[in-house]
Amino acid sequence: MSNLKFPIYLDSHATTPLDPRVLDEMMPYFTEKFGNASSLDHPYGYDASVAVESARERISNAINARHDEIIFTSGATESNNIALIGTMEKYQDRGNHLITCVTEHKAILDTAIHLEKMGKKITYLQVDEHGQIDLADLESAITDETVMISIMAANNEIGTIADVASIGRLAHEKNILFHTDAAQAVGHIPINVEEMNIDLMSFSAHKMYGPKGVGALYVRGMRPRVKPEPIIHGGGQERNIRSGTLNVPGIVGLGKAVEISQKEMEPENKRFKLWTDEMLKVFESIGGQLNGHPTKRLSHNLNVYFPNVESKAIINSVSKEIAISTGSACTTQIVEPSHVLLALGHDENRAHSSIRIGLGRFNTKEEIDFCVEKITNSVESLKGIII
Ligand SMILES: *Cc1c(COP(=O)(O)O)cnc(C)c1O
């Protein structure tokens, strides 16, 4: 008999479960090693500070950064806010123009709207049918006023991977700073801030089997040296870019999560690719169509359109056994069509008939086989129902 545990979690772009190896490493920092990492006068604080610096080392090694280029934050949302608001404020004498993209996460788009209210000019680049920007569009959007380009490394709905290296090269040729929201990329695909000419990069622990509420911002220290203004003020921690007592257990968890992901990325991605390819084949046999890029996509992502079947109906009909979603984790109850799917040129019907699957480290082949069959049956039985 099967020993499947329900509901099977296939929503890894929203968040991932904590890896038990990460929890093990964090535990002592909740209890006996509870010191404030800034209190260096005694072993409690000193031990905490050593743990934080070791996490910084692990993270910087993974992305080819220097350890002092890692700023710990509460997550990618905060990192994006510092990167956009802090940098546009700091370098306001260079200009007032920011270039970003229509398929970004709300943590970028809403911060850009805030910047517009503060008098900044924002260009939102369109994307092609696969979710990628056109480098020629990017180049022609650049003006004398352009301070920064912010383009996400991998999309959280369709998994499309951006040509980060080419964007970074162009930005540096034009002496413009380059920020990337890499919440879906770090720990999932190789990232090298030097080779990719990244100046600022946001990422988050809970998207790579670490704890929620902790993340980091990479801030380039040389060629060029970047220093965003802080957006919260206080004790001057993290090179005065992010004040506040450090979340030591969280930071330890982020360090361990990055280290594990780095080691296991390759075999994990091979496994995911095999499974998502297989799933797509079955879904296509019942009329499903892929949303996003056919190849330049996170291997654990699958966003599929089932014509004439409402995604909410699929999700509800399988909800006892499978946890999946339509797209980004909703913060409101209003069902708005995905801004990402619309940006690909799809209509609202397609946006309301698409589901997002995000595989994770702890899914098994048995779970995948079960889910493919369950979703296929659900789609087949819903097909006749007019929406
Ligand atoms: C999850 C996510 C965020 C937000 O990260 P938090 O750590 O939850 O604040 C930002 N951008 C992208 C692309 C994400 O997937």
Side-chain angles (χ1 to χ4, degrees), residues 287-359:
Q289 295 171 38
L290 179 72
N291 292 318
H293 202 289
T295 55
K296 288 175 184 142
R297 202 173 72 246
L298 295 170
S299 60
H300 61 295
N301 172 279
L302 198 58
N303 194 312
V304 195
Y305 164 49
F306 291 108
N308 303 316
V309 186
E310 206 176 344
S311 47
K312 279 278 169 219
I314 305 174
I315 290 165
N316 289 340
S317 83
V318 303
S319 66
K320 275 210 187 76
E321 290 92 0
I322 311 173
I324 44 172
S325 78
T326 51
S328 55
C330 288
T331 44
T332 60
Q333 290 305 307
I334 311 156
V335 187
E336 278 185 13
S338 150
H339 72 285
V340 175
L341 295 181
L342 296 183
L344 304 183
H346 300 319
D347 60 11
E348 291 202 13
N349 268 336
R350 182 156 175 156
H352 285 304
S353 295
S354 295
I355 58 167
R356 176 186 67 174
I357 292 170
L359 305 189

Side-chain angles (χ1 to χ4, degrees), residues 87 107 124 140-141 144 168 191 194-195 216 236 248 250 264 268 275 280 282 306 308 333 340 344 349 357 365 368:
T87 309
Y124 300 90
S140 55
D144 291 344
I191 295 286
E194 286 306 322
E195 280 175 12
V248 177
E264 303 185 356
E268 210 160 69
W275 291 352
L280 181 60
V282 176
F306 291 108
N308 303 316
Q333 290 305 307
V340 175
L344 304 183
N349 268 336
I357 292 170
K365 182 70 166 75
I368 302 303

Side-chain angles (χ1 to χ4, degrees), residues 13 75-77 80 105 107 152 154 156 181 183-184 204 206-207:
H13 299 289
T77 300
N80 284 341
H105 189 272
M152 72 198 318
N156 50 298
D181 176 352
Q184 297 285 343
S204 184
H206 77 99
K207 302 290 177 73

Side-chain angles (χ1 to χ4, degrees), residues 216-272:
L217 178 66
Y218 160 78
V219 180
R220 177 172 288 279
M222 284 191 331
R223 284 179 282 124
R225 177 175 174 79
V226 185
K227 183 117 195 258
E229 287 292 330
I231 57 170
I232 49 175
H233 305 269
Q237 290 90 345
E238 299 300 275
R239 293 174 44 216
N240 205 22
I241 293 172
R242 203 281 190 171
S243 283
T245 301
L246 294 181
N247 171 3
V248 177
I251 290 167
V252 167
L254 173 58
K256 184 67 178 173
V258 167
E259 190 186 70
I260 295 172
S261 299
Q262 204 62 21
K263 270 192 204 131
E264 303 185 356
M265 186 184 285
E266 228 183 276
E268 210 160 69
N269 276 334
K270 274 200 185 119
R271 187 166 81 238
F272 291 150

Side-chain angles (χ1 to χ4, degrees), residues 129-185:
E129 63 192 311
H130 299 138
Q132 289 191 310
I133 61 159
D134 179 355
L135 283 173
D137 284 354
L138 173 59
E139 187 160 1
S140 55
I142 295 171
T143 72
D144 291 344
E145 290 284 314
T146 309
V147 176
M148 187 159 75
I149 296 167
S150 178
I151 302 290
M152 72 198 318
N155 186 273
N156 50 298
E157 292 191 33
I158 52 175
T160 296
I161 298 169
D163 186 356
V164 173
S166 297
I167 299 167
R169 195 178 315 122
L170 178 63
H172 277 200
E173 273 167 23
K174 306 270 181 186
N175 277 322
I176 293 167
L177 298 173
F178 174 40
H179 167 254
T180 186
D181 176 352
Q184 297 285 343

Side-chain angles (χ1 to χ4, degrees), residues 33-52:
K33 297 182 178 183
F34 60 83
N36 184 323
S38 303
S39 309
L40 298 179
D41 294 329
H42 48 66
Y44 293 98
Y46 181 75
D47 287 351
S49 139
V50 168
V52 166

